[in-house]
Amino acid sequence: MAATALPPLPPQFKSIQHHLRTAQELDKREPVVAYYCRLYAMQTGMKIDSKTPECRKFLSKLMDQLEAMKKQFGDNEAITQEIVGSAHVENYALKMFLYADNEDRAGQFHKNMIKSFYTASLLIDVLTVFGELSEENVQHRKYARWKAAYIHNCLKNGETPQPGPIGMDGGESFDIEREEAGSSSGTAQPTSSSTYEANNMPTSNYTGIHVPPGAHAPANTPAEVPHNTGM
């Protein structure tokens, strides 16, 4: 798709960099989800700063990408009808979440499942382009970000994570920009988007998640997990 290359990301837009990277990763596999990731980044960027020259230039190029995608997928109902698009993005986010949750409950802790939890949380952010999040999705997002941080920090410290929903105490934080292999900005400061502080969560056992213990993601889900693209 990449008809228009984006200029360097202005520092003001650091909070949307992971949504844009997710869009790149999904361009071929899930173009509809990639489109809405960019739309979320566009809307969020407009609220952050639409006046300074570098931000205006970046948003203009991002708008060009969105327009190109609209032309390319103009006959896709998920692009032309928001209610269809919302369901498509939500289903994909839930599939990512279920894959990571099933791996977690089975005690299979690895980089792909951490990335899946984190990406699911980013895609739930994207659902805000369609309106206010449901309480269930708010809880899924909190849980997914906390799990990504908790499991990552356990593995980094040589500890065995505890599978399934557990008490969320402790100041877990996860900066995927710093942790991904090949990251070019390892000294980047954490942001509200790229870092999740678990002490924002209740310290009681987490019971607000509505995922059946026996739920299984589709068989092709692991292959659909976004892979590291040289971050």
Side-chain angles (χ1 to χ4, degrees):
M1 188 277 314
T4 306
L6 292 176
L9 186 79
Q12 298 95 312
F13 292 162
K14 181 170 171 56
S15 64
I16 59 174
Q17 65 181 338
H18 301 303
H19 303 86
L20 289 170
R21 187 168 288 117
T22 298
Q24 285 183 318
E25 293 172 342
L26 295 178
D27 267 334
K28 293 181 179 177
R29 207 161 47 241
E30 280 289 336
V32 169
V33 180
Y35 171 83
Y36 285 112
C37 284
R38 288 188 174 91
L39 184 60
Y40 170 83
M42 180 78 190
Q43 292 182 356
T44 305
M46 292 285 287
K47 293 174 186 174
I48 295 172
D49 188 345
S50 61
K51 292 186 168 64
T52 57
E54 61 176 349
C55 291
R56 289 181 65 176
K57 180 181 178 183
F58 186 89
L59 291 172
S60 175
K61 295 295 186 183
L62 183 55
M63 177 70 79
D64 290 344
Q65 285 193 348
L66 285 166
E67 289 301 320
M69 293 189 79
K70 248 187 175 178
K71 287 181 182 177
Q72 185 177 353
F73 304 106
D75 57 348
N76 191 320
E77 282 191 341
I79 298 290
T80 59
Q81 298 183 34
E82 282 198 352
I83 190 167
V84 180
S86 175
H88 188 98
V89 176
E90 186 171 28
N91 286 342
Y92 190 75
L94 185 58
K95 184 164 72 167
M96 299 281 293
F97 183 95
L98 284 174
Y99 164 68
D101 188 59
N102 285 326
E103 292 289 278
D104 174 44
R105 290 170 189 264
Q108 303 293 323
F109 306 109
H110 50 84
K111 187 176 178 180
N112 255 6
M113 65 95 72
I114 295 172
K115 181 78 178 289
S116 295
F117 266 133
Y118 188 71
T119 302
S121 76
L122 295 178
L123 296 181
I124 295 173
D125 286 341
V126 171
L127 287 173
T128 60
V129 305
F130 304 107
E132 191 173 346
L133 292 178
S134 67
E135 181 59 31
E136 185 176 1
N137 280 332
V138 169
Q139 297 301 326
H140 276 116
R141 179 173 62 179
K142 289 178 180 177
Y143 183 76
R145 282 193 182 153
W146 176 78
K147 263 293 180 178
Y150 166 72
I151 296 169
H152 167 79
N153 288 337
C154 281
L155 297 181
K156 186 170 71 172
N157 297 328
E159 302 167 1
T160 301
Q162 184 175 337
I166 55 176
M168 285 190 275
D169 48 354
E172 307 287 350
S173 64
F174 179 55
D175 184 351
I176 198 169
E177 179 75 8
R178 191 172 58 230
E179 306 301 347
E180 280 284 322
S183 170
S184 60
S185 50
T187 58
Q189 293 300 309
T191 69
S192 59
S193 167
S194 61
T195 305
Y196 181 66
E197 300 287 345
N199 52 17
N200 292 336
M201 293 297 299
T203 54
S204 59
N205 282 349
Y206 193 91
T207 57
I209 187 128
H210 306 289
V211 178
H216 290 285
N220 65 339
T221 301
E224 301 238 350
V225 173
H227 297 293
N228 182 3
T229 54
M231 288 172 56

